């Protein structure tokens, strides 16, 4: 059996057609996202002298940090042919429960455990419903999103929980050698995930499932188990995103994370990952998140109406999906 690595579809050896090398196509898709990011940055650099200042560039990374971390998990799910709409609600619930735990015990460690544990639990639940419950990912994660946000509002009474020790806020508000943790943590996560996706059998199997799940199953691989791991991993990354978010704003709010699921998916798609699964890269995802952050930041510097920013981002997403569809043909 040949595993798909993002450059070719899986060849199961069981009545399947010969694999086709898609390396030039994927390189073109990845380069397209990078070229688009560079061109957008050039446009804003010409339009606003403040754009290329180090502090402003650092602000862009900080602003997209949470979405970038969540998008990494969303990318793994999309690579398997699934989708996750629950991240916004899960982020809110993990933030509220962890904030409550910290306020009650003054223990940053307990708060971190509660935050990550809650998110992983919902990721595991979604994975079980999708794999063994046979519920379509769209419907399943839409439901878990509603459940998570509903619990967050019921538990908190709709009131934000704030005021935490510095240790709990460190991930979102701390610095190391003058570099914000909101910059360091996403970089470390993406380096690790790049290795996992490109250099390990697990990453190859993720690509294989998205390319042809049935063929992958016929080779003896427990595809349901691997999809369950992927959804749990996405939950863990959502929990890390919640830690960053709560630490940065110093509050656990039941209304936080609204629209984050769409932003995360947008970053993945803009980065060149196919919504059909089996094709994409972790580097493309971070480029997609940066494109969204750069557009928002640049338009703000130009004093463009925020409503117009939504139009621009929506247009970029539509074009990214169009390119994906044409590349598949």
């Amino acid at each position: 059996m040949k595993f798909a690595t993002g450059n070719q579809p899986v060849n199961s050896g069981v009545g399947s057609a010969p694999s086709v090398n898609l390396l030039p196509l994927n390189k073109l898709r990845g380069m397209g996202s990078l070229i688009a990011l560079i061109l957008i940055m050039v446009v804003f650099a010409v339009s606003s002298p403040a754009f290329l200042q180090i502090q402003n560039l650092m602000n862009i990374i900080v602003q997209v940090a949470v979405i970038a971390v969540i998008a990494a998990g969303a990318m793994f799910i999309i690579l398997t042919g699934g989708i996750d709409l629950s991240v916004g609600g899960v982020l809110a619930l993990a933030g509220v429960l962890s904030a409550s735990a910290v306020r009650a015990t003054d223990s940053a460690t307990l708060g971190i455990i509660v935050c990550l544990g809650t998110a992983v639990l919902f990721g595991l639940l979604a994975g079980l419903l999708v794999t063994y419950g046979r519920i379509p990912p769209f419907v399943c994660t839409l439901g878990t999103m509603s459940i998570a946000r509903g619990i967050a509002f019921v538990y908190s009474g709709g009131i934000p929980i704030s005021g935490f020790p510095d240790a709990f806020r460190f991930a979102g508000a701390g610095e190391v050698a003058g570099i914000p943790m909101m910059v360091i943590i996403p970089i470390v996560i993406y380096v690790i995930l790049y290795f996992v996706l490109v250099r390990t059998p697990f990453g190859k199997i993720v690509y294989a499932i998205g390319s042809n799940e049935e063929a992958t199953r016929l080779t003896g691989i427990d595809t349901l188990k691997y999809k369950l791991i992927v959804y749990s991993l996405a939950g863990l990354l959502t929990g890390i995103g919640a830690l960053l978010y709560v630490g940065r704003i110093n509050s656990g709010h039941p209304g936080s994370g609204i629209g984050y699921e769409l932003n995360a998916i947008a970053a993945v798609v803009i980065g060149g990952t196919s919504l059909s699964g089996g094709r994409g890269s972790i580097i493309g995802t971070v480029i997609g998140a940066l494109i969204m952050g750069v557009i928002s930041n640049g338009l703000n510097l130009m004093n463009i109406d925020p409503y117009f920013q939504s139009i621009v981002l929506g247009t970029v997403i539509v074009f990214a999906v169009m390119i994906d569809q044409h590349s598949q043909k």
Side-chain angles (χ1 to χ4, degrees):
M1 171 185 176
K2 292 182 180 179
F3 290 119
T5 61
N7 298 330
Q8 60 185 27
V10 66
N11 181 1
S12 68
V14 186
S16 58
S19 62
V20 179
N21 190 350
L22 298 178
L23 180 58
L25 175 60
N26 280 330
K27 281 188 175 181
L28 180 62
R29 289 158 60 86
M31 287 297 294
S33 300
L34 180 58
I35 292 172
L37 175 60
I38 294 173
L39 290 177
I40 293 170
M41 292 183 69
V42 169
V43 170
F44 287 132
V46 172
S47 303
S48 174
F51 178 79
L52 288 181
Q53 293 180 2
I54 297 298
Q55 186 59 49
N56 185 63
L57 295 178
M58 196 73 73
N59 286 338
I60 292 175
I61 300 176
V62 170
Q63 289 166 6
V64 304
V66 176
I67 292 298
V69 171
I70 294 175
M75 189 210 67
F76 271 80
I77 291 177
I78 292 174
L79 280 178
T80 64
I83 199 77
D84 188 0
L85 300 177
S86 68
V87 294
V90 173
L91 181 144
L93 178 59
V96 165
L97 293 182
S98 62
S100 176
V102 173
R103 284 294 301 275
T105 65
D106 203 36
S107 170
T109 301
L110 179 61
I112 293 172
I113 293 173
V114 170
C115 187
L116 299 182
T118 300
V120 170
L121 181 62
F122 266 83
L124 179 62
L125 173 62
L128 288 171
L129 293 175
V130 168
T131 54
Y132 297 99
R134 306 293 182 180
I135 301 176
F138 183 92
V139 176
C140 172
T141 56
L142 185 64
T144 54
M145 173 188 69
S146 181
I147 292 171
R149 192 170 295 283
I151 294 175
F153 272 104
V154 170
Y155 181 84
S156 66
I159 301 173
I161 303 172
S162 59
F164 313 118
D166 291 342
F168 183 67
R169 296 193 60 203
F170 182 71
E175 294 183 353
V176 173
I179 303 176
M181 290 301 294
M182 291 280 283
V183 175
I184 295 174
I185 291 176
I187 291 175
V188 172
I189 288 173
Y190 269 82
V191 170
I192 294 173
L193 293 181
Y194 175 84
F195 176 81
V196 170
L197 198 58
V198 176
R199 301 295 183 183
T200 68
F202 174 78
K204 299 180 187 300
I205 291 172
V206 168
Y207 277 115
I209 292 173
S211 297
N212 191 328
E213 182 174 354
E214 181 61 17
T216 305
R217 185 186 65 80
L218 290 174
T219 65
I221 292 175
D222 188 348
T223 57
L224 298 184
K225 179 185 74 174
Y226 280 95
K227 289 173 73 173
L228 192 61
I229 295 173
V230 165
Y231 276 90
S232 299
L233 173 62
L236 174 62
L237 292 169
T238 299
I240 295 174
L243 281 177
L244 296 176
Y245 185 91
V246 172
R248 185 184 182 195
I249 68 172
N250 194 26
S251 175
H253 196 298
S256 60
I258 293 177
Y260 276 30
E261 56 280 338
L262 300 181
N263 289 336
I265 293 171
V268 174
V269 173
I270 292 172
T273 297
S274 173
L275 286 172
S276 301
R279 289 187 293 131
S281 71
I282 194 71
I283 295 176
T285 298
V286 72
I287 291 175
L290 287 173
I291 286 176
M292 295 176 64
V294 166
I295 290 176
S296 178
N297 178 269
L299 293 178
N300 282 333
L301 291 177
M302 296 171 62
N303 295 317
I304 302 297
D305 192 307
Y307 297 116
F308 183 76
Q309 295 180 27
S310 298
I311 297 174
V312 173
L313 286 174
T315 303
V316 171
I317 294 169
V318 170
F319 271 103
V321 174
M322 287 176 58
I323 292 172
D324 172 57
Q325 295 299 312
H326 283 289
S327 68
Q328 291 187 55
K329 293 179 182 180

